[in-house]
Amino acid sequence: MGRKFARSSLWMFTLSLGVAASFTATDAGAEPDPAGATVHPEIWPAANSPIGLDLAAEARITEMLAQMSIEQKVGQVIQPEWKTITPEEVTQYHIGSIENGGGAVPGGNKHSTVQDWLDLIEPYYQASVVPGQNVTIPLIWASDAVHGHNNVYGATLFPHNIGLGAANDRDLLRRIGEVTAAEMRSTGMDWTFAPTIAVARDDRWGRTYESYSEDPQIVSEYAAAMVAGIQGTGDDFLGPNHVIATAKHFLGDGSTDGGRDQGNSTVSEADLSRLHGAPYVDAINTGTQSVMASFNSWHGVRMHANEGLLTDVLKGRMGFDGFIMGDWLAHGQIPGCTNSNCPIAFNAGLDIFNQPQDWKALHGNLVAQVTSGEIPMSRLDDAVRRILRVKFRMGVFDAASPANRATSLQPIGTPAHRAVAREAVRKSLVLLKNNGVLPIRSNATLLVAGRGADNIAMQAGGWTLSWQGADNGPNDFPGATSIYEGLKAQIEASGGQALFSPDGTSPQKPDVAIVVFGEAPYAEFMGDQSDVALHHDNVESLELIRRLKAQGIPVVAVMMSGRPLYVNPQINAADAFVAAWLPGSEGAGIADVLLARADGTPQHDFQGRLSFSWPRRPDQTPLNVGDADYDPQFAYGFGLSYAAPTVTPALPEVADTTRYGERNVYFTSGQAWNGYKFWLGDSNAPHMDYVGTRTTLYGSAGLTAEPQDDGAIRLTWNGRSRAWAEMGADAPSDIAREANGAMLLSVSIRVNASPTGDVSLGVGSASVPIAGALRGLAPGAYATVAVPLSCFSGQNLAATPTIFHLETNGQLDVSVADIRLTETRAGAACPVE
C-alpha cells in the first residue's frame, strides 16, 4: 500500500518569489559544449614509441584474428574483477584479463600471503589455456600497484607521488618502478594500473597525492622514469622482472572545475594539451603499453566517449600502439550507456572495458552489436590486435604459468627494497621552517607526540591494503617502521631517550618534542574537499604544539598530508615544520634527516623542494606557478636546508574562514553558514563534499548537485541507486533545546520533476516520508516544507551528525534554496502514512 499524507495537518507551504534558474552544462549529465569540446589533433604534440612493430608478431596476430569468433574476440576486450568470475567462466567467455580492485584480496583476508595470491591467480590462468581451443590466448592479471605493491600484505610501500615529486630524483623513480614490478611478479601478476601522471591544478581534488606536481615538466620526467622502471627498457623491456605499465588517467583529470573527482574540465584545448597531455608524450616515448581513460569530462563530454582525444589524438597524433583501458565502470556514466551496454565508448576508441560486475551482460551486448554492425568488425579487430600485440611483447605466449615462473614466490618487502623506500622518504621531505631546532642531537631526550607518530596507516594513506586505507591498524604492516619507531631506534642507539605520548603528556621534560599530525587516509573522491584547510586533527595538533611550547619545550611539527594545506597557525606555533607528505612503510627515513650524527652534523640534509605551491589561506585554490596573481605562502620550488639556514618570520593567520550568520541557519543565499557543510552520498560514497560546482556521485552517478544563479542548489537523482544530500558540521550538532522548543526544520524547495520513488527527509538517523508532499507542490515555484524537530526523536538530537538529510531511491529533481530551523507554527505535525 502506498503512503498517504494528511497534507493539511502536516505541512506548511509558503510560496516564494524564486524564479527559474539558468545554468551551464558542465558535466556528464549535461549537454556538451560543442565549441569547447572540438579536438584539433594537429595542434597536439606527436610521440614516438621506441618499441616498434614486430612484423612477425603482427602477421601471427592477423592469422589469429582470422581464426577467432566474435565471442572469442569480445572476451579479450572485457576485464572482470576476480570476485565476479570463476575460472570455468574464463574458459567459457574467452576472458583475456582479470583485475583485483582495492581490497579485493584472496578469501577476503588482507593478510593473504604471496602464496595465497599465486593460489588465487593460477586457476584463472590455467582456465585461459585449456587444451582444445582453436586459438589459445593466455590471461594477464592487473592490479593497482600505485605506491609499491600496495594491495599485498608485507609489500614495500613507497611515498605517494606527491612526495616523490618533491624529491627531484628521476633515477630514484626508476628504481621504485623496478622494485614495484619485481614484487608484483612475485605474486604472479602481469600489469599495474600505474603510474598516475595527472597534473593536479586544484588541490581540493582527493587524488592530488597521486600527482607528482602541478608542473607538467616534472610529471613528464617522472612519467618516463616510472614507466622505464616498471616495464624495463632496451633488451630488458617487459623482461621477467617487469610488468605492463599504465599511464593514467587520460585526460585532464587534474583540471576539473572545483577539483572535483570525475568532474568536468573546461580548460582550453591548448591548455589541455600543454598542461595535461605533455606527460603522455613522455610515457609513450618510453614505451608505455597501456593508457587508462579518465572518468572526467572535457567541456561536458565524458572522456570514455571522446573519440577525438582517444582515437584521433592518443592513437593517431601520438602514435600510441598499445591498448586503452577503461576505468572502473566509467563507461556506464556516458549518457545513453549503462554498465553493461556502451558501444559509444568502444567506438570512441576504448579497447578494454573495466567491468568488474555485470560483465556477462556486457559480453552479450557487445557480441550482438558487432553482429549487427553497430560496432564495426574493424574496430573490434583493432582492439584485439592491440591487446595481443602487448601480450606478444610481454612474451606471455611462451612464458610459464604464474605458479611456475622463476620470478614467483620471491621475497617481498626485503631489506634492499625497503632501503629504496627509506631513501625516497628522506629525499621527499620538505623543510618549511627551522628556527634553530634541527637537526636534533642524537643523544637527546626526545618526546614524540601526536596521532600520527606511531601510525603507519596514516603514513601509508589510501590505496593501501584496501581502497580507502582507512580500516588499517598496526598489525597490518609487517616489517614497516612508524615515525616514532624510526626515531626511537636511532636515539636509543646513540644513548638518548625517546618518550612516546600521543597527547604530549610526560612526567619528564624532554629536550625537544616532535609532533606528528595530518590527514587521515582517503582515496579518490572521498578526499575531495571544499578548501585547502587541514580537516583532520587541526585543532588538536595546534593545541598540542602550543601546550608543549608553553612548557618551554622546542617543538618540531611533522605533517603528513596528500596535498599542501593552510596550516600557518601550526607553522607559527612550532620551531620547525616539515612536510612529510604520505611517506609509506619506512618511517625511519624521517629520523635520518631530523637527527644529527654524534658530532652534531646532519646525517642527511633536506633535499625536497615543493612541487606544488603552498597556500596562505584556506580558500586560496587553485594556486599554480605562473598564475597571473600568483601569491603563495611558499612558492613552487621552495625548500629550506641545513646548508643554508634561514629564520622564518611569523606568517599571517586567517582569523576565521567560517561564514557566521543568524543562529540555526544552515544554508541560504548560495552559502553554507555557521560551520556547516553540504554533502552528497550513496552506499559507495556516503560522505562526499559539495564544493560549489557541479558535483556528481561516483559509480552510478545517482545524484548530481549544481549551483543555480539564484543561489539555490539543484539536486537531480537519476534513480540508478539510492542516494542522498545532507548537511552537517565536523562535530555533532546539539539541537535538543530547539526540539524541546518545538522548532521546525524548514526547507525552501522547488520541485522541478516529481519523485518516482519514496523520499525521506531526515535529521541524523531519523526520517519522515515526504514523497507525497513533494508531488502535491505546484511545479516551478518555491515552497517551504517545515517539519517539527520532535518528529526526529529517534535520533539523539543532543549529538546529531546531520541536521538535514534528503534521500530517495527513485528519480527526483528539486532546487533547495534555504535550510534552517524556524519557530513552530499552528498546525505543524509529523507525517502520517
Side-chain angles (χ1 to χ4, degrees), residues 1-6 757-758 769 771-772 775 832-833:
M1 179 179 290
R3 293 174 176 171
K4 295 187 291 184
F5 300 88
D758 63 79
R775 293 187 185 107
V832 295
E833 298 197 15

Side-chain angles (χ1 to χ4, degrees), residues 127-313:
S128 71
V129 295
V130 295
Q133 302 180 79
N134 60 326
V135 175
T136 299
I137 304 174
L139 173 148
I140 54 177
W141 192 285
S143 186
D144 282 283
V146 296
H147 66 125
H149 199 12
N150 42 264
N151 289 292
V152 176
Y153 181 69
T156 308
L157 300 176
F158 294 94
H160 277 286
N161 288 357
I162 191 169
L164 300 179
N168 193 31
D169 190 331
R170 290 182 61 179
D171 181 67
L172 172 65
L173 267 290
R174 179 189 57 78
R175 288 183 283 132
I176 289 172
E178 289 176 345
V179 170
T180 301
E183 295 201 357
M184 289 191 73
R185 279 297 205 177
S186 179
T187 56
M189 298 185 191
D190 311 283
W191 173 11
T192 176
F193 295 149
T196 300
I197 57 175
V199 181
R201 303 288 287 181
D202 190 326
D203 301 339
R204 290 175 290 185
W205 187 33
R207 300 193 86 141
T208 295
Y209 68 77
E210 296 185 59
S211 174
Y212 296 117
S213 177
E214 68 191 38
D215 179 358
Q217 180 176 347
I218 288 180
V219 180
S220 297
E221 292 177 359
Y222 280 14
M226 188 62 80
V227 168
I230 291 170
Q231 292 190 163
T233 57
D235 293 339
D236 196 30
F237 173 71
L238 288 179
N241 283 304
H242 294 281
V243 298
I244 298 165
T246 305
K248 67 180 187 183
H249 308 84
F250 190 88
L251 187 64
D253 48 347
S255 65
T256 58
D257 294 344
R260 173 58 58 209
D261 192 51
Q262 303 181 17
N264 185 52
S265 171
T266 56
V267 301
S268 68
E269 185 180 10
D271 280 348
L272 189 68
S273 171
R274 176 179 64 89
L275 296 174
H276 304 281
Y280 288 89
V281 174
D282 286 77
I284 293 168
N285 285 345
T286 313
T288 188
Q289 293 299 288
S290 174
V291 171
M292 181 177 286
S294 184
F295 268 106
N296 70 277
S297 305
W298 181 57
H299 289 279
V301 178
R302 281 289 183 190
M303 202 57 59
H304 278 62
N306 198 315
E307 183 176 1
L309 289 173
L310 294 182
T311 297
D312 299 340
V313 170

